[in-house]
Amino acid sequence: VQCEIAAGAGMIIQRVVLNSRPGKNGVPVAENFRLEQSTIPDTVQEGQVRVRTLYLSVDPYMRCRMNEDTGSDYLLPWQLSEVADGGGVGVVEESKHSTFAKGDIVTSFNWPWQTVAILDASLLQKVVPQLVNGRLSYFLGAAGLTGLTALLGIREKGHVTVGANQTMVVSGAAGACGSLAGQIGRLEGCSRVVGIAGTDEKCSILVSEMGFDAAINYKKGNVAQQLRELCPGGVDIYFDNVGGDISDTVISQMNQNSHIILCGQISQYNRDVPYPPPLPPDTEKIQKERNITRERFLVLNYMDKQEASVLQLCQWIQEGKLKVRETVVEGLANIGAAFQSMMNGGNIGKQIVSISK
């Protein structure tokens, strides 16, 4: 009873909870989330840290967490009327753990969507703002899980060989992961990088800012024909963010002993299919005949390489070799709209929500 009284008289915060589920085959909308007022205790217990949220990450994989069953053994579903969570960055306001002090900047993969939170210290990692030139939101994108996914995906599943004259194709190339993956493919040794995106503006940015050799607007013209023209030697590495018809088209032009980096299947997230979705029979036949690797890829399996990989990403950012694009939305109240926009493909780069004081 005493704890309930303390909590009731605690600090007033704002938080975002899952208001409704879109259904396994439904398209998520902003109204699936609800902003509400809540309280947290005034006191921090031993081993805990009180943090103020600065930035929250909005990511495609979260669509799976809106279902009662995520279809994945490593993703837990969000519960109705419970606070949502994901990647976050914030500042320590009070600490009862020796690792963290007031003023430290920290990040977590399990950050609740609320303005202030009391978290177990074991959930947090301290970060160094100077590593990203003070751009703290980068720890959720280019120097965080998104960048790690691109870098480790390419290093572990892409089999890039410097000097081997390899061509990489990236689908969803203007998205958070795809825009980094194309640049990292080049930095790791690919001689040609071609992106696939959904607007002329996105394609233009990929070539002019991100260093892609070319980009295809899949909503215009014949994608297969454009791929043949832009990848005359075939495709050696395919960084797959979307699945579906686009991927079938790319796979049909892949070379013998080539590699698919299976990052995401955003075209399939609003459909009740297993992950990774099975390929159509004709595409599967090509994959087998040409000995094309297509293995499920999970960053969490390579956490022993996380620290060195983050330092590599930060070095490229500092040197200007890795260009970063973010779509920043202000205010916790707008996180549902930001999620809807991202799932509709309206963003360039990483979707970030900035939480004001």
Side-chain angles (χ1 to χ4, degrees):
V1 175
Q2 294 235 322
C3 289
E4 287 177 11
I5 292 169
M11 180 186 294
I12 296 171
I13 63 159
Q14 285 189 312
R15 67 178 195 169
V16 170
V17 303
L18 185 65
N19 187 48
S20 58
R21 300 189 190 278
K24 280 200 166 182
N25 301 309
V27 177
V29 292
E31 291 72 27
N32 292 135
F33 299 96
R34 181 176 78 246
L35 181 72
E36 62 181 30
Q37 194 168 283
S38 185
T39 58
I40 60 171
D42 284 323
T43 54
V44 177
Q45 304 297 320
E46 282 300 321
Q48 292 184 328
V49 177
R50 188 175 80 237
V51 292
R52 179 166 52 82
T53 306
L54 298 175
Y55 297 99
L56 294 170
S57 176
V58 181
D59 301 286
Y61 80 85
M62 293 173 171
R63 172 63 185 86
C64 305
R65 300 191 68 188
M66 298 179 82
N67 297 336
E68 283 186 68
D69 176 8
T70 65
S72 165
D73 50 9
Y74 65 93
L75 282 180
L76 293 173
W78 286 330
Q79 299 302 319
L80 287 171
S81 295
E82 296 288 333
V83 67
D85 69 309
V89 167
V91 59
V92 173
E93 292 192 325
E94 185 182 347
S95 172
K96 291 215 174 156
H97 191 278
S98 58
T99 304
F100 303 103
K102 184 176 179 180
D104 284 348
I105 304 298
V106 291
T107 186
S108 173
F109 297 142
N110 306 107
W111 198 289
W113 286 7
Q114 56 193 58
T115 49
V116 181
I118 294 175
L119 301 175
D120 286 338
S122 60
L123 290 174
L124 298 170
Q125 286 179 293
K126 197 186 298 188
V127 293
V128 181
Q130 291 87 341
L131 287 176
V132 289
N133 303 324
R135 299 290 295 272
L136 299 182
S137 56
Y138 284 13
F139 287 118
L140 299 178
L145 191 58
T146 313
L148 283 172
T149 301
L151 178 58
L152 289 170
I154 287 166
R155 286 186 170 174
E156 300 296 329
K157 300 293 182 184
H159 304 277
V160 178
T161 306
V162 177
N165 200 30
Q166 291 166 305
T167 294
M168 173 188 277
V169 170
V170 183
S171 59
C177 199
S179 60
L180 298 173
Q183 297 178 75
I184 291 169
R186 167 86 75 212
L187 289 165
E188 289 288 285
C190 287
S191 61
R192 186 162 183 76
V193 179
V194 175
I196 302 174
T199 69
D200 288 344
E201 182 197 6
K202 289 178 179 179
C203 290
S204 173
I205 286 168
L206 289 173
V207 175
S208 63
E209 281 186 29
M210 308 288 188
F212 283 64
D213 292 285
I216 296 168
N217 181 349
Y218 70 86
K219 294 179 180 176
K220 284 186 174 179
N222 185 314
V223 175
Q225 183 182 331
Q226 292 178 77
L227 266 178
R228 278 191 292 273
E229 291 169 2
L230 295 171
C231 309
V235 178
D236 302 294
I237 301 144
Y238 173 39
F239 199 99
D240 184 6
N241 284 305
V242 303
D245 294 342
I246 294 286
S247 290
D248 297 338
T249 302
V250 177
I251 293 167
S252 72
Q253 298 190 33
M254 292 187 74
N255 293 325
Q256 195 74 25
N257 303 318
S258 53
H259 305 282
I260 299 168
I261 302 166
L262 195 60
C263 179
Q265 302 283 277
I266 197 167
S267 72
Q268 309 297 302
Y269 285 171
N270 295 327
R271 296 177 57 208
D272 185 13
V273 293
Y275 186 84
L279 295 169
D282 288 352
T283 306
E284 188 177 17
K285 185 170 180 239
I286 290 169
Q287 184 206 345
K288 287 180 175 173
E289 285 176 351
R290 298 183 194 169
N291 193 34
I292 301 169
T293 63
R294 181 183 185 256
E295 300 164 341
R296 193 173 169 186
F297 167 69
L298 195 56
V299 168
L300 298 175
N301 292 341
Y302 302 96
M303 293 318 281
D304 58 318
K305 299 182 180 179
Q306 178 189 354
E307 191 175 343
S309 299
V310 168
L311 288 174
Q312 173 66 85
L313 292 162
C314 290
Q315 184 183 335
W316 282 334
I317 291 167
Q318 289 176 332
E319 292 172 350
K321 292 179 179 175
L322 198 58
K323 302 290 194 298
V324 182
R325 270 272 186 153
E326 292 180 323
T327 302
V328 180
V329 172
E330 296 286 340
L332 190 61
N334 295 314
I335 200 165
F339 188 87
Q340 180 179 340
S341 172
M342 176 200 61
M343 291 303 296
N344 289 338
N347 304 333
I348 296 175
K350 178 76 178 178
Q351 177 73 72
I352 297 285
V353 175
S354 173
I355 312 299
S356 304
K357 287 187 181 180

